[in-house]
Amino acid sequence: MRALEIDILVDLGGHTLDGRPGLVARRPAPIQVNWLGYPGTSGASWIDYIVADRFLVPPQSRSGYSERIVYLPDCFWVSDSQRPAVGRVPERVELGLPAEGFVFCCFSHSYKLNPALFELRRSQLCRSRIR
């Protein structure tokens, strides 16, 4: 990366599965940024900035971040505002979902929905009923 003269490295993984903080710790670029993959502080001296919005990192929480915070004006999640909106929203039954009740969903990687997650949720429900 140094040979390629990359000026800004944006770490999209941070402290997530398959993240490579060890690579970033070697400081292969003069400016290093934490964005998107792990929306919390890295706690690392080798990450210079985090890209956030004021909902993700409220101004009163800035002292808890090792990075300098770069606030985007509306939302830290960059999206295509020209993409047409989805048409009609289907009814739950059309999707094979129960008419009522809690539905687990994940708008990220599907591996995050796993048996351990369901067991955690079930144990929380059981504890709340005991109280």
Side-chain angles (χ1 to χ4, degrees):
M1 287 163 101
R2 286 188 184 123
L4 294 172
E5 297 183 7
I6 293 173
D7 295 318
I8 301 173
L9 178 145
V10 179
D11 183 5
L12 299 176
H15 298 300
T16 62
L17 183 66
D18 298 325
R20 297 201 170 151
L23 184 141
V24 182
R26 298 178 77 176
R27 199 171 258 295
I31 298 171
Q32 302 195 143
V33 181
N34 172 11
W35 178 62
L36 198 57
Y38 183 75
T41 184
S42 66
S45 61
W46 56 83
I47 300 290
D48 304 300
Y49 299 93
I50 182 170
V51 176
D53 57 39
R54 284 170 175 75
F55 179 80
L56 182 68
V57 182
Q60 64 271 22
S61 299
R62 289 171 36 183
S63 65
Y65 284 74
S66 60
E67 305 88 351
R68 284 173 269 177
I69 300 166
V70 175
Y71 285 115
L72 293 181
D74 298 312
C75 180
F76 84 104
W77 186 273
V78 177
S79 182
D80 180 1
S81 63
Q82 302 304 309
R83 182 182 298 175
V86 175
R88 183 184 72 80
V89 176
E91 298 294 323
R92 291 169 62 118
V93 70
E94 293 176 72
L95 301 172
L97 298 170
E100 294 183 17
F102 185 85
V103 176
F104 282 92
C105 63
C106 180
F107 299 102
S108 182
H109 297 290
S110 60
Y111 71 82
K112 294 178 181 179
L113 288 177
N114 56 48
L117 174 73
F118 286 98
E119 186 57 37
L120 174 67
R121 178 68 181 150
R122 186 163 43 135
S123 68
Q124 288 174 341
L125 288 172
C126 291
R127 277 197 305 265
S128 68
R129 289 183 187 144
I130 292 171
R131 292 180 191 158

